Amino acid sequence: SRELAASSWQVVALNNGQQAVVNVLDGTTLTIAFGEDGTVTGSSGCNSFRGPYTSAAGVVKLGPLASTMMACLDPEGVMDQEAQLVAALESAATYTIEGSWLEMRTADDAIAVQLTRA
């Protein structure tokens, strides 16, 4: 399927907000699930998040996303990664699905998030 509804993904890389796309930290698993009801849920490594989304014909809008507020110290940098993931997802404007690969890009065509089917 080329649509997002009823699909689940694991984040491979994300835009860190500093003009760089970085791999997910070792020891963390970032997941995203798109519900058929227009709700996106996921894990950002320590906390979980949820919010609304819309998608059609390669255009996507996520958020605003709400997150639980647990503090995690391990691995180092996980809290920064969580903030970067939420910002990257909320910046996504377009998406493409090729086989088991999902790529979301910003309105100016920068990579926001790269994912594989879970």
Side-chain angles (χ1 to χ4, degrees):
S1 169
R2 297 207 175 274
E3 290 304 318
L4 295 175
S7 67
S8 297
W9 304 87
Q10 185 168 329
V11 178
V12 175
L14 60 123
N15 189 313
N16 69 1
Q18 300 167 13
Q19 299 183 336
V21 175
V22 297
N23 291 330
V24 171
L25 291 173
D26 287 341
T28 63
T29 302
L30 312 184
T31 61
I32 301 172
F34 294 92
E36 291 186 49
D37 63 353
T39 301
V40 62
T41 59
S43 170
S44 50
C46 168
N47 288 286
S48 58
F49 64 87
R50 78 170 20 254
Y53 83 94
T54 57
S55 67
V59 175
V60 66
K61 169 142 182 51
L62 289 90
L65 300 176
S67 180
T68 56
M69 301 297 286
M70 292 188 313
C72 295
L73 303 175
D74 190 40
E76 185 176 335
V78 69
M79 299 306 293
D80 289 335
Q81 177 179 262
E82 289 198 340
Q84 293 164 1
L85 176 63
V86 168
L89 290 171
E90 289 181 341
S91 75
T94 63
Y95 73 94
T96 54
I97 298 174
E98 304 261 338
S100 62
W101 183 256
L102 167 61
E103 186 170 88
M104 294 185 180
R105 290 183 170 263
T106 65
D108 61 359
D109 206 37
I111 292 171
V113 187
Q114 294 176 320
L115 311 99
T116 59
R117 200 174 289 276

